[in-house]
Structures are given as structure tokens and as C-alpha cells.
Amino acid sequence: MSLSISNQRLTTMEDWFDDNSASLKAISSQPGAMAGEIMEVVNLARKFKEEFIRPQAIEMDKRIQEDHSYLPEEWVDEACRRGFFTLCVPKIFGGQGYCFPALSYFMEEIASVCLGMANIIGAHYLGLGTLICTWNLPLIARVCREIVEGERSGKACMVSLAMTEPTSGSDTPEPDLLDKGQVACLAKKEDGGYRVNGSKIFISNGHFSTWHMTVAFEDLARPSETAVILAVRNGAKGFQVAGKESKMGQLACPASELVFNDCFIPNEQVALSPDMTRGYSRTHREIYQHLFDDLCSISRAGVCALSAGAARGAYESALAFAAMAKKKGDYLINSEWVQCRLAEMYKNAVVARLLYIEANYANGNHGIYKGLQAKPVYYALRYLPKSFLSWGLGKALGLEWLTGLIRKRQLSGFNPGMVQRTAGLGALAKFASSDAACENAQLAMEMMGAKGLRHELGTEKRLRDIKLLQIYEGTNQICRMDLFRNLIARRLPQAKLYEECV
Ligand SMILES: Cc1cc2nc3c(=O)[nH]c(=O)nc-3n(C[C@H](O)[C@H](O)[C@H](O)COP(=O)(O)OP(=O)(O)OC[C@H]3O[C@@H](n4cnc5c(N)ncnc54)[C@H](O)[C@@H]3O)c2cc1C
């Protein structure tokens, strides 16, 4: 009878789906000081949103609607003045060194008031995160030094991620889709570097950034095997930040077009290339997939945090409205249908928050944060003086064999099962939370009736802003397929992936 089933079998029936103690394990292994760090950044965000963003978010949105070419440089300057672009730059590279999960809580706060501002900060960490995921330590050190220097001088140095092309969006981070797609950004290998031709579109912060982490391909017929990631700096000959999209929401954060016209990028700015991964235990294609799975595990947790904030903002505005507005002599909040709706909205915000917390637990337990959250590393990086850390870094950077070894270990020594877990949870968190945020925006609008359409209430802005969350960082349809690929199909060899794509 089933009584003979061993305890071990009972707890490993489906190691991830049935493992409802995963978060518990993550909490117990996490350094205790992280909670204090998180509260510090939440307070920074709350101060910023109340003092600076809330008083002008709606006006700024109106201003950019009237003049789509307007760039809110003053917002970037203020974020820079408050140190937000170095917040999570590791201390070893000169930054403030707050742990990466803290950024999610920070983003939730800002997004509850303005998704445009939240994306200005979030997209900078997306660019920087891409560079970090290449484990090219000398280049990471160089770019981080400039970010820190930019903050000191008062002129922000930011990083963007440039993947999307006019003929390739969803395909670019997924090798199976990439090889069936139509990428066109060519990186031709030459003596001393690469010559790049092509263009990128919808690049968040393109107009504000100094560095652009650009994905291009040596051979357009074999993109996943020949992908290169280049750190392109403003001022490079043949590189131009061209148009700015006239888009529907998140207007404060520009979506830019980048054009490469015979643009030469020297070897020192090549973050990853097929030459660099030659001789590794995994193919370049596998490494490319791993890199973007790692990146999406954290960036989608980030978009989930934006969604949690947006869902919360919609709930807060609906609550304030229902508590003030009267119908037939009584407050709206005394109608049962309104109470049920507010309960639904509250639930959406809290569930979205739990999702990014869960995704970050997985990243800490099995993903890219694992090494940084190991207690000895965490406390050394937190409490050793910056001068000592930068002395150590200087020494390490001088040892090419050491930086090469670290990169090789990080890029090819991964456990595919663990990557699937974090990438699957990241995808789940992203689509579930952004759908919940969209639902909240619509419920708030419904509750307010025609008044919700008025610009000055901010509800129609929020609806326009939130819709974008379902599209970037992998559309919600692609995220559903990523969940299927990573968490459902892995035990079903007969399951075919991306079959319908041609
Ligand atoms: C505000 C904003 C900011 C952005 N910022 C950046 C940025 O900083 N950097 C960057 O590189 N990109 C950025 N993007 C681009 C974004 O990543 C892409 O828009 C997204 O990947 C989708 O690509 P696409 O728009 O080309 O749509 P497509 O890929 O053309 O998709 C169109 C539709 O087809 C569906 N679809 C596509 N492929 C499949 C498939 N295989 N199976 C089933 N359905 C499929 C999609 O889900 C979608 O519904 C941004 C986009 C927006 C809107």
C-alpha cells in the first residue's frame, strides 16, 4: 500500500512544482542584513516619490504628450543626484553595493506613482545587468567606474540594452526563435575588433545612456552560434542615437532608435564573442541561451516589481476615489460591489509583490545572486572598506588567467536544471503580475466612470503606462511559452517547442 512510500519519495515527487518549501530554504540561507538594506532603499524611494515624482508626474506626462521630442533630463539629473544609478553597483566596483533584490522593492515604490520614472532607473540596471551576465570583469570594471564618476560629476552615466531590431523582437533572446527569425544587425570581425552595421529600435533610455550593450551577429544565417555582445559608447564613429518613438505610455522614459553605420568597436569593448567561448565545455549557443535565461530571471522579476507597484498605485487611487465620491447621498465605498472590487485590487497588488519576492528567492538560491548572497562573500563585500576592495580588484584585474577562469566558470559551469527553475519563475512572475496590474488599471477606471478619463486624476495615464508592461521584457505570450519550456516541458521529451514559428 501507499504507506510503504518513503518520506524522501514523498518530498521529491516533482522536485520544483511540489517543492513548497523552496522559499523557506531561501529565507534561511539569506544573509540577515539584507532585510535592513531593503528597508533603507525603500525609504530612499519613498522620499523621492513623495518629494519629487508625485508632484509632477501627471504634468510631465502631459508635457511629453504635447511634445513627444521632450526629454525629461531634469528627472535623470535628480535621480543621479540622489545616487540611484550606483545604488546596486557592487562596492568592489566603486558603487553603493546594495543587494540586487533590494532594487525590486525600490522599483515597486517608484512604480506606484510613475512607471515612466521607474523604467528610467530599471532600464539602466537592465543594461548593467546584461554586462554583468557576460562576466567580462575588465569591461564591467571600466563601465562601473564611469557610472560612479558620472554620479560624482553630476552628469549621469547610464547603460542601455540594445537587442530589438526592426525585423526581430521576441526572437532575439531565444536561440530557437532567433535561428528561425530575421535579425539584421551584422558584426563583422576585423583586426582589433568588430565593424557593426544595422539598427536597433525601442531601446529604453537610448537618449540618456552613455553605454549601449548591443547584441549583433557575425553570421546572420547562424545567429545563435555567432552572437556577440558589444559595449558601444556614445561618440563612437558611425554610431548615432536617431529617432525617439512617439509611444502610448511611460512617456518619461524614451524608447530610442540606435543606428550603426560601419561603426568600429575595439576588442576591449567586446563583452562576449564566439572567440571568447571557444574551448568551453558548452557551445556558444548554449552559453548565449544561459546568459539570457539568467538575465531574464532577474529582469523579469524587476518588471514584476514594476507591475506590483503599478497595481498598488491603481488600487490606492481607486480607494481614495471610493472614499470621497458620493452616490445617492452615500459614499461609494459603502457599496458592496465597490468593496469587492477593492478587495480584488488589493489581492492583485499583494500577489504581484509575492511573485517578485519568490522569483528573487530562486535567484538567490540557484541563480545569478547565489554567489553574492553566500554569507562570507556578502559580509565581506558589505563591510570591507571600499579602498581595500578596489585594491583587491585592481590586483585581480591584472591577472588575465584569473578573470578568464572566473568567466569560464560562470558562463559554462552552470547547472541547466537550476537555470530552468529561475528562468521559469521569472517568466511566471512577469506575465502574472503585469496581467494583474492591467486588471487593476481597468477596475480603477471602471469605478471612476467618466471622471477616470480626466487626465488630472492620473488613472488614464496609469492605464496607458501599464499596458507596456505586458509587452517588454518578453511579451506575456512569450513568457507563457518560456514557463512551459522551463518548468513544464522538461519532463516531457515528446513536447515540441516553438513548432509553429517559421
Ligand atoms: C516601452 C518599451 C520599451 C522597450 N525597451 C527595450 C529595450 O530597452 N531594449 C530592447 O532591446 N528592446 C526593448 N523593447 C522591445 C521589446 O523587447 C519588444 O517589443 C518585445 O520583445 C516584443 O517584440 P516585438 O515588439 O517585435 O513583437 P513581435 O516579436 O513581433 O511579436 C508580435 C506578437 O507576436 C507574438 N509572438 C512573437 N513570437 C511568437 C512565437 N514564437 N509564438 C507565439 N507568439 C509569438 C508576440 O507575443 C506578440 O503578441 C521595448 C519595448 C517597449 C514597448
Side-chain angles (χ1 to χ4, degrees):
M1 264 210 20
S2 60
L3 281 176
S4 62
I5 298 176
S6 72
N7 278 349
Q8 194 189 357
R9 166 109 193 272
L10 282 173
T11 51
T12 55
M13 286 158 68
E14 218 301 0
D15 52 355
W16 296 336
F17 189 58
D18 291 335
D19 186 2
N20 46 14
S21 59
S23 315
L24 214 59
K25 291 176 203 150
I27 295 167
S28 54
S29 65
Q30 212 167 264
M34 274 175 67
E37 267 190 70
I38 288 168
M39 280 324 297
E40 280 176 35
V41 300
V42 165
N43 286 339
L44 291 176
R46 286 190 178 156
K47 209 162 152 10
F48 178 57
K49 85 174 181 188
E50 296 307 339
E51 284 175 359
F52 189 81
I53 298 298
R54 198 188 295 278
Q56 41 174 328
I58 294 174
E59 265 316 295
M60 180 60 82
D61 181 72
K62 192 168 173 205
R63 178 169 190 179
I64 303 175
Q65 271 190 320
E66 285 163 5
D67 172 10
H68 267 273
S69 65
Y70 187 76
L71 289 166
E73 306 262 8
E74 63 276 29
W75 281 21
V76 174
D77 292 345
E78 183 63 19
C80 178
R81 202 180 64 73
R82 292 178 188 241
F84 294 160
F85 299 121
T86 64
L87 211 58
C88 292
V89 172
K91 256 171 85 181
I92 196 162
F93 297 119
Q96 298 176 62
Y98 282 102
C99 62
F100 285 104
L103 193 61
S104 297
Y105 298 80
F106 180 88
M107 300 310 301
E108 181 195 316
E109 288 299 329
I110 313 261
S112 69
V113 171
C114 180
L115 270 172
M117 181 70 233
N119 201 36
I120 290 178
I121 299 170
H124 164 68
Y125 285 102
L126 175 67
L128 183 60
T130 309
L131 175 59
I132 290 176
C133 284
T134 67
W135 291 97
N136 187 325
L137 292 177
L139 193 53
I140 297 172
R142 175 176 169 190
V143 172
C144 285
R145 252 196 302 272
E146 271 199 49
I147 297 172
V148 172
E149 199 41 56
E151 188 168 285
R152 251 182 231 133
S153 71
K155 178 82 194 90
C157 172
M158 296 163 68
V159 189
S160 79
L161 167 61
M163 290 197 91
T164 305
E165 303 184 10
T167 53
S168 177
S170 302
D171 312 339
T172 331
E174 170 51 58
D176 283 338
L177 295 176
L178 183 60
D179 290 339
K180 294 176 186 168
Q182 285 187 301
V183 279
C185 197
L186 186 66
K188 198 162 167 284
K189 205 163 168 344
E190 288 186 0
D191 271 354
Y194 281 92
R195 188 150 315 265
V196 188
N197 278 288
S199 67
K200 299 282 175 184
I201 56 167
F202 266 102
I203 307 309
S204 296
N205 283 344
H207 281 74
F208 292 144
S209 299
T210 306
W211 288 93
H212 310 271
M213 298 308 302
T214 305
V215 181
F217 308 91
E218 286 181 11
D219 182 349
L220 299 179
R222 297 182 302 125
S224 70
E225 292 163 43
T226 66
V228 290
I229 303 181
L230 307 163
V232 178
R233 199 184 185 289
N234 280 352
K237 194 159 170 248
F239 170 71
Q240 191 197 353
V241 180
K244 174 175 182 277
E245 297 288 342
S246 159
K247 60 181 164 56
M248 151 184 176
Q250 302 190 15
L251 298 184
C253 182
S256 320
E257 182 191 12
L258 311 183
V259 177
F260 305 85
N261 197 352
D262 266 338
C263 174
F264 183 77
I265 304 300
N267 278 336
E268 309 80 76
Q269 288 168 226
V270 179
L272 189 82
S273 71
D275 278 354
M276 289 175 173
T277 60
R278 197 151 294 137
Y280 284 13
S281 58
R282 295 184 192 274
T283 63
H284 189 68
R285 188 181 199 274
E286 287 170 331
I287 288 168
Y288 181 82
Q289 168 124 48
H290 165 225
L291 191 154
F292 279 101
D293 277 346
D294 258 1
L295 180 67
C296 288
S297 305
I298 53 176
S299 64
R300 288 177 179 166
V303 175
C304 179
L306 296 184
S307 302
R312 173 177 151 194
Y315 159 77
E316 286 167 352
S317 67
L319 177 66
F321 183 86
M324 299 266 296
K326 281 193 167 178
K327 273 274 166 248
K328 293 186 186 156
D330 198 2
Y331 290 105
L332 206 55
I333 204 160
N334 291 326
S335 305
E336 261 183 37
W337 71 269
V338 171
Q339 294 172 0
C340 287
R341 245 154 229 228
L342 286 170
E344 188 67 17
M345 293 172 81
Y346 191 102
K347 178 262 302 180
N348 279 340
V350 171
V351 168
R353 180 184 294 153
L354 292 175
L355 283 170
Y356 76 71
I357 294 173
E358 185 71 18
N360 280 334
Y361 279 153
N363 288 328
N365 242 4
H366 314 294
I368 190 148
Y369 302 152
K370 187 175 178 181
L372 292 171
Q373 288 180 19
K375 284 175 186 158
V377 178
Y378 174 87
Y379 285 111
L381 288 177
R382 189 170 157 89
Y383 293 114
L384 287 175
K386 257 190 199 175
S387 52
F388 179 78
L389 290 172
S390 56
W391 171 83
L393 178 70
K395 288 271 174 229
L397 290 179
L399 302 171
E400 215 176 296
W401 65 267
L402 181 62
T403 55
L405 196 71
I406 294 172
R407 187 168 63 205
K408 184 172 179 179
R409 202 182 125 50
Q410 293 296 338
L411 289 181
S412 62
F414 58 92
N415 173 340
M418 293 305 145
V419 180
Q420 282 177 325
R421 176 164 167 73
T422 57
L425 269 181
L428 186 163
K430 194 270 176 179
F431 76 74
S433 62
S434 54
D435 284 354
C438 261
E439 191 187 1
N440 271 15
Q442 275 162 352
L443 288 174
M445 184 71 102
E446 269 174 34
M447 198 184 290
M448 294 176 186
K451 295 184 189 71
L453 303 176
R454 288 191 183 131
H455 190 257
E456 64 269 19
L457 226 59
T459 306
E460 65 84 36
K461 169 187 180 312
R462 188 169 285 112
L463 187 62
R464 281 187 285 111
D465 286 352
I466 283 179
K467 184 66 202 167
L468 277 55
L469 295 170
Q470 292 180 312
I471 298 172
Y472 59 54
E473 259 346 88
T475 65
N476 281 10
Q477 295 88 325
I478 290 289
C479 284
R480 283 181 170 83
M481 283 166 31
D482 282 352
L483 185 153
F484 181 82
R485 167 168 70 86
N486 285 301
L487 297 181
I488 301 176
R490 64 191 198 93
R491 297 221 170 175
L492 302 167
Q494 70 274 40
K496 295 176 181 159
L497 299 171
Y498 310 117
E499 273 293 294
E500 284 166 28
C501 314
V502 280

